[in-house]
């Protein structure tokens, strides 16, 4: 009887708990974006949930110097095209 009550209690806790979203781990380099691009920032644009192609194009422009910036040019130069694509794809899935 005690086992049945314990099983029922555990089952109730599991079914009444809030659902947990599976969060994909960010690719290397992407986690540091939130340091400047916080969702609440007014001065620096929000990049989360943005179209992946737009983010990829912007990062490549920073990387090749066609879009000058104080910090992003240096940051983007540290990533390969594949890494930039992975970061842009991951950021697009974040809200």
């Amino acid at each position: 009887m005690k086992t049945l009550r314990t099983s029922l209690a555990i089952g109730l806790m599991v079914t009444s708990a809030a659902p947990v979203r599976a969060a994909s781990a960010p690719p290397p380099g992407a986690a540091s974006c939130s340091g400047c691009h916080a969702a609440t920032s007014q001065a620096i644009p929000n990049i989360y949930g943005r179209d992946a192609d737009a983010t990829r194009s912007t990062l490549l422009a920073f990387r090749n110097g066609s879009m000058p910036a104080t910090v992003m040019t240096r940051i983007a130069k540290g990533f390969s095209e594949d890494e930039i694509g992975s970061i842009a794809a991951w950021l697009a899935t974040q809200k």
Side-chain angles (χ1 to χ4, degrees):
M1 186 67 163
K2 185 176 181 180
T3 304
L4 178 59
R5 277 187 273 162
T6 303
S7 296
L8 289 173
I10 291 172
L12 181 61
M13 287 188 317
V14 169
T15 58
S16 65
V20 176
R21 290 187 183 169
S24 64
S32 62
C33 298
S34 64
C36 297
H37 293 277
T40 59
S41 175
Q42 297 296 319
I44 299 173
N46 181 5
I47 56 174
Y48 300 93
R50 187 173 178 225
D51 178 69
D53 288 334
T55 300
R56 184 178 178 281
S57 295
T58 301
L59 286 170
L60 289 173
F62 284 135
R63 188 172 144 219
N64 70 24
S66 64
M67 183 180 285
T70 56
V71 175
M72 283 306 304
T73 302
R74 290 179 278 170
I75 292 171
K77 285 181 181 178
F79 296 112
S80 69
E81 286 193 36
D82 288 342
E83 289 169 326
I84 286 173
S86 295
I87 290 169
W90 181 82
L91 287 170
T93 66
Q94 306 306 299
K95 301 293 176 191

